[in-house]
């Protein structure tokens, strides 16, 4: 169950939808026409010795194994949340940058393996596998971890567990998929950290993005799901499933928030003077993109010093780490909302993210 990204299908994710349709369609076509599969093999030795550079393009796009295509499609569908948060152009730039970096990494890792074990890597699994594995880097760093249940009373099952299981299944599909996985993780880490300003060097130009928006986006865009039809009164199975998944997402977020609230109350009882969450609820629930920062009440200074407990805590006095604020802003939230959520959660990035997603 993919609870991390919600259940709104491929709405606002035209690039993910295009990759799923085009690449899986080519996989099915090559399965029916096996005589053309040789053109899409990812053979490193043909690239090096026979200078068949075109194999880097064909061999690193289309999966020849149906199981690889299925697992990578599940991962692309789950990682569509990054296209929604950052926009199609930035998501496409990440895929393009990691695709180019991983192509170089493939050759470096293959030569290193040959040097260490005296074994020549001739052919690697075909498909868009390395960029898919690279998406695990922002997935691990940016998506909050929410516990769902426990197995045997000790092993936590979270909203991210199934994604890692699918990635492990893809990792074990063939003998050298681990090389592509390592290449993808390295390239994803380098591009995500902007090593040597890679994000400024490898990106999708604005004019290419405009052409894609005009020509391709109308073909692969999805309409916003409608929730107006009530359950049990003629609603389709897709709408029913979508509404149930949305309800489950909300329940998971509320459960984690309530648990964090109880823990905060217990800490406040043990350590007086901590920030109280209940006094921040009105400002967080009615936040706006253009609302100015909260200012101290003008009458706060006139309160008698003998009753300090009657004065509400000021948000501006709570230190907030700028790197955490920048991370929440990159995820699509406004700076004002990020500041309030981080102050309310004592700089707990996961708790602040969950609260912003819920409200």
């Amino acid at each position: 169950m993919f609870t991390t990204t919600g259940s709104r299908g491929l709405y606002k994710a035209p690039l993910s939808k295009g990759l799923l349709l085009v690449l899986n369609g080519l996989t099915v076509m090559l399965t029916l026409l096996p005589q053309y599969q040789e053109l899409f093999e990812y053979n490193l030795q043909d690239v090096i010795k026979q200078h068949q550079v075109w194999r880097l393009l064909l061999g690193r796009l289309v999966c020849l194994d149906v199981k690889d295509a299925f697992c990578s499609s599940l991962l692309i569908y789950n990682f569509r949340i990054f296209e929604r948060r950052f926009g199609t152009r930035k998501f496409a730039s990440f895929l393009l940058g990691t695709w180019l970096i991983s192509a170089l990494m493939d050759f470096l890792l293959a030569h290193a393996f040959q040097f260490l074990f005296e074994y020549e890597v001739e052919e690697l699994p075909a498909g868009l596998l390395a960029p898919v594995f690279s998406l695990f880097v922002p997935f691990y760093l940016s998506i909050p971890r929410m516990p769902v249940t426990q197995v045997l009373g000790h092993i936590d099952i979270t909203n991210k567990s199934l994604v890692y299981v699918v990635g492990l299944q893809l990792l074990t599909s063939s003998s050298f998929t681990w090389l592509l996985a390592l290449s993808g993780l390295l390239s994803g880490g380098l591009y995500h950290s902007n090593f040597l300003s890679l994000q400024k060097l490898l990106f999708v130009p604005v004019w290419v993005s405009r052409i894609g928006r005009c020509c391709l986006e109308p073909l692969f865009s999805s309409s916003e799901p409608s929730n107006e039809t009530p359950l049990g009164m003629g609603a389709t199975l897709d709408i029913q499933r979508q509404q149930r998944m949305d309800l489950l997402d909300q329940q998971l977020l509320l459960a984690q928030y309530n648990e964090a609230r109880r823990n905060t109350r217990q800490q406040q009882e043990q350590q007086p003077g901590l920030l109280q969450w209940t006094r921040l609820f009105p400002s967080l629930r009615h936040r706006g993109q253009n609302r100015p920062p909260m200012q101290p009440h003008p009458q706060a200074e006139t309160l008698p010093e003998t009753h300090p407990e009657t004065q509400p805590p000021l948000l501006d006095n709570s230190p907030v780490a700028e790197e955490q604020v920048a991370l929440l802003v990159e995820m699509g939230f406004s700076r004002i909302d990020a500041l309030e959520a981080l102050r309310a959660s004592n700089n707990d990035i996961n708790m602040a993210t969950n609260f912003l997603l819920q409200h």
Side-chain angles (χ1 to χ4, degrees), residues 107-121:
F107 289 96
L108 294 178
L109 293 175
H111 283 292
F113 186 81
Q114 182 179 359
F115 177 78
L116 294 175
F117 302 99
E118 297 182 356
Y119 183 86
E120 185 179 52
V121 180

Side-chain angles (χ1 to χ4, degrees), residues 150-167:
Q150 285 187 340
V151 178
L152 302 178
H154 300 284
I155 304 176
D156 291 332
I157 302 298
T158 69
N159 58 324
K160 302 168 68 174
S161 298
L162 183 58
V163 182
Y164 292 130
V165 171
V166 176

Side-chain angles (χ1 to χ4, degrees), residues 63-297:
C63 291
L64 299 180
D65 192 321
V66 177
K67 184 177 66 174
D68 291 350
F70 178 75
C71 293
S72 60
S73 298
L74 286 179
L75 294 175
I76 291 175
Y77 180 79
N78 184 76
F79 293 147
R80 73 197 187 281
I81 185 176
F82 298 117
E83 184 175 2
R84 292 175 179 171
R85 287 186 179 182
F86 306 136
T88 302
R89 180 170 177 261
K90 190 172 182 179
F91 182 68
S93 299
F94 183 89
L95 291 179
L96 175 63
T98 54
W99 188 88
L100 295 173
I101 299 172
S102 61
L104 177 61
M105 288 290 179
D106 291 347
F107 289 96
L108 294 178
L109 293 175
H111 283 292
F113 186 81
Q114 182 179 359
F115 177 78
L116 294 175
F117 302 99
E118 297 182 356
Y119 183 86
E120 185 179 52
V121 180
E122 182 177 355
E123 185 176 343
L124 293 175
L128 197 70
L129 302 182
V132 170
F133 278 111
S134 68
L135 289 169
F136 275 99
V137 175
F139 179 76
Y140 176 79
L141 297 175
S142 304
I143 302 301
R145 177 176 175 270
M146 296 184 297
V148 177
T149 185
Q150 285 187 340
V151 178
L152 302 178
H154 300 284
I155 304 176
D156 291 332
I157 302 298
T158 69
N159 58 324
K160 302 168 68 174
S161 298
L162 183 58
V163 182
Y164 292 130
V165 171
V166 176
L168 183 61
Q169 177 65 33
L170 182 61
L171 177 64
T172 57
S173 61
S174 61
S175 56
F176 282 104
T177 308
W178 65 267
L179 193 146
L180 294 175
L182 182 58
S183 174
L185 293 176
L186 290 175
S187 61
L190 293 175
Y191 195 87
H192 183 76
S193 62
N194 198 18
F195 180 73
L196 297 178
S197 300
L198 289 175
Q199 295 182 8
K200 296 182 180 179
L201 298 176
L202 306 176
F203 62 92
V204 176
V206 178
W207 63 271
V208 175
S209 177
R210 291 176 179 174
I211 293 176
R213 187 182 300 112
C214 297
C215 301
L216 299 179
E217 187 172 353
L219 298 177
F220 299 111
S221 60
S222 300
S223 58
E224 183 177 4
S226 176
N227 295 327
E228 297 179 356
T229 306
L231 293 178
M233 298 181 63
T236 63
L237 294 177
D238 291 337
I239 296 178
Q240 293 179 12
R241 188 181 300 108
Q242 174 188 324
Q243 292 178 341
R244 292 191 184 99
M245 291 293 292
D246 288 337
L247 180 61
L248 180 59
D249 292 346
Q250 296 176 3
Q251 291 175 352
L252 290 175
L253 290 172
L254 286 175
Q256 187 185 18
Y257 169 71
N258 291 331
E259 182 181 358
R261 186 180 179 185
R262 288 193 298 268
N263 295 336
T264 304
R265 286 181 177 178
Q266 294 177 359
Q267 294 177 359
Q268 290 176 353
E269 294 176 358
Q270 298 175 358
Q271 300 179 0
L274 293 179
L275 188 63
Q276 297 183 6
W277 279 62
T278 54
R279 298 181 181 180
L280 296 176
F281 286 166
S283 61
L284 284 177
R285 289 177 178 172
H286 299 87
R287 67 185 193 274
Q289 295 292 337
N290 299 321
R291 182 171 52 83
M294 296 184 62
Q295 300 294 335
H297 198 278

